[in-house]
Amino acid sequence: MNILVTGGSGYIGSHTVVELQNAGHNVVVVDNLSNSNEKSLKRVAEITGKNVDFYEIDIRDFNALDSIVGKYHFDCCIHFAGLKAVGESVQKPLEYYDNNVCGTVNLLKVLQKHNCKNIIFSSSACVYGDPKIIPISEDCPKGNCTNPYGQTKSMIEDIMIDLQKSDSNWNIVLLRYFNPIGAHSSGKIGENPNGIPNNLMPYITQVAVGKREKLNVFGNDYDTVDGTGVRDYIHVVDLARGHVCALQAIEKKCGLEIFNLGTGHGYSVLEVVHAFETANDLKIPYVIQPRRTGDVAVCYSDASKAEKVLNWRAEFDLQDMCRDSWNWQKNNPNGYDD
């Protein structure tokens, strides 16, 4: 298939391009590089032996996007492009709604114009809010998102659901991610956050490599195994392969489908810290801080629908995630700037 990947030079996008190319698909990436690096795609080419057609385009630019989609005649779009920092979204809500929501509407208009009515969307488990069901299945109702980033994911889902209802020729797969960590086993591509990391694993690896003094653990008084928050951490390569599997649903003219992508297991913050220490024979200093507003105690998936329908399941364990995260960071202490 000919696949358009928006935001394909980012963390999850670049790993997905590897898996798409390895599966024999033709890939074109568009990305405005606002929170990613084009060097990731050069590393992808080193891994797969195939060059990636890349265009530095903002998906809000209708004419630029229109020219690319018209040129290639895509079979499907995998849509990653979007701003993703929770804290920043609280400070800059208009930027997030403009970039994520308006950008997606623009993308859908261009795809519709060129009769490419197949799309896989990079959504998030944050749309469940404080979940009513644990483990979280796709039947769990969406909750109140606690920040504009989460709101944009939920709004985009609603837009795509309405679009598919209005035109049954659209085939749309909404993939709700849990917490991706890890990196490609080659150590050539991995998570490369701008500034202070917002997520747990890149903060741990930056402490391990000496860029940060210690890890801040927010809250140790939750009703969990050790008082710290529990999340479903999934290896980014497993997550990337989930997108390749989702193409099966598109090919079968699925209409609208929603899938959780997670391991089905929850790990606390301190369990992740200790697993990282064990996997890599390192010590991670940490300090307990007050809880963060909006954090929930426990969040992990029921991913059985993806296994049943897509024949997909997570294969890597927490030790693999910790080992591969450190392999990336120690070989690229400054990310793609090395």
Side-chain angles (χ1 to χ4, degrees):
M1 296 176 71
N2 291 326
I3 312 293
L4 171 66
V5 180
T6 71
S9 65
Y11 174 44
I12 301 171
S14 59
H15 285 82
T16 301
V17 172
V18 169
E19 298 305 319
L20 288 168
Q21 288 190 329
N22 285 342
H25 297 289
N26 299 313
V27 180
V28 176
V29 170
V30 299
D31 199 308
N32 69 0
L33 303 178
S34 65
N35 54 13
S36 61
N37 195 310
E38 186 183 352
K39 292 178 182 176
S40 67
L41 298 178
K42 293 180 171 61
R43 304 280 189 91
V44 167
E46 292 174 13
I47 294 168
T48 65
K50 302 174 184 177
N51 290 326
V52 183
D53 286 352
F54 169 71
Y55 297 88
E56 187 175 348
I57 288 174
D58 191 306
I59 60 170
R60 291 170 293 182
D61 186 335
F62 184 93
N63 291 333
L65 196 57
D66 180 58
S67 67
I68 300 304
V69 177
K71 176 181 178 182
Y72 282 94
H73 307 290
F74 294 108
D75 299 301
C76 184
C77 173
I78 300 180
H79 179 32
F80 296 105
L83 298 174
K84 61 179 184 178
V86 170
E88 183 184 60
S89 77
V90 176
Q91 301 299 319
K92 302 177 180 179
L94 293 181
E95 288 187 26
Y96 273 70
Y97 288 117
D98 180 46
N99 187 89
N100 296 6
V101 179
C102 297
T104 298
V105 170
N106 198 58
L107 171 66
L108 292 170
K109 287 179 178 179
V110 172
L111 294 175
Q112 183 168 254
K113 175 182 175 181
H114 293 280
N115 201 36
C116 176
K117 296 185 176 182
N118 300 313
I119 189 167
I120 297 169
F121 174 55
S122 163
S123 192
S124 169
C126 70
V127 301
Y128 294 115
D130 192 351
K132 308 301 181 188
I133 304 167
I134 296 289
I136 305 168
S137 72
E138 293 84 354
D139 294 328
C140 179
K142 292 206 292 186
N144 293 321
C145 297
T146 58
N147 54 77
Y149 162 74
Q151 288 278 34
T152 67
K153 291 295 187 184
S154 184
M155 291 173 69
I156 290 168
E157 282 197 2
D158 291 343
I159 289 166
M160 290 188 174
I161 290 168
D162 287 342
L163 178 61
Q164 204 283 327
K165 285 179 181 177
S166 74
D167 181 354
S168 61
N169 289 315
W170 278 94
N171 298 290
I172 298 173
V173 176
L174 307 178
L175 297 181
R176 292 174 177 169
Y177 309 160
F178 281 71
N179 295 70
I181 60 176
H184 193 269
S185 59
S186 67
K188 291 181 180 294
I189 58 174
E191 190 165 8
N192 185 41
N194 292 329
I196 300 173
N198 291 287
N199 299 321
L200 176 61
M201 185 55 76
Y203 211 114
I204 290 174
T205 60
Q206 288 193 10
V207 171
V209 84
K211 294 186 73 171
R212 308 284 168 193
E213 180 183 357
K214 58 185 179 296
L215 172 70
N216 292 313
V217 176
F218 296 100
N220 66 344
D221 56 350
Y222 291 105
D223 185 15
T224 62
V225 63
D226 55 23
T228 63
V230 170
R231 299 292 182 268
D232 187 338
Y233 296 95
I234 177 173
H235 199 296
V236 67
V237 172
D238 276 330
L239 189 63
R241 291 173 180 169
H243 296 76
V244 180
C245 292
L247 290 172
Q248 301 169 21
I250 294 291
E251 289 179 306
K252 293 177 182 177
K253 305 298 182 184
C254 63
L256 190 286
E257 287 281 9
I258 301 171
F259 297 100
N260 288 335
L261 294 185
T263 65
H265 301 287
Y267 297 100
S268 75
V269 171
L270 291 184
E271 284 177 325
V272 174
V273 170
H274 298 324
F276 184 90
E277 292 176 329
T278 300
N280 301 302
D281 194 23
L282 292 165
K283 199 68 180 172
I284 302 298
Y286 65 87
V287 62
I288 303 298
Q289 301 282 10
R291 292 186 186 189
R292 291 183 301 193
T293 302
D295 279 352
V296 300
V298 178
C299 178
Y300 63 93
S301 71
D302 174 350
S304 58
K305 180 182 176 183
E307 183 170 5
K308 180 179 179 181
V309 177
L310 302 178
N311 196 31
W312 173 90
R313 64 190 301 270
E315 297 177 0
F316 296 99
D317 62 20
L318 184 58
Q319 291 289 310
D320 296 323
M321 301 178 214
C322 292
R323 183 195 63 242
D324 291 340
S325 293
W326 178 232
N327 187 44
W328 152 255
Q329 186 74 80
K330 71 182 181 183
N331 288 306
N332 304 272
N334 298 305
Y336 293 112
D337 292 331
D338 288 310

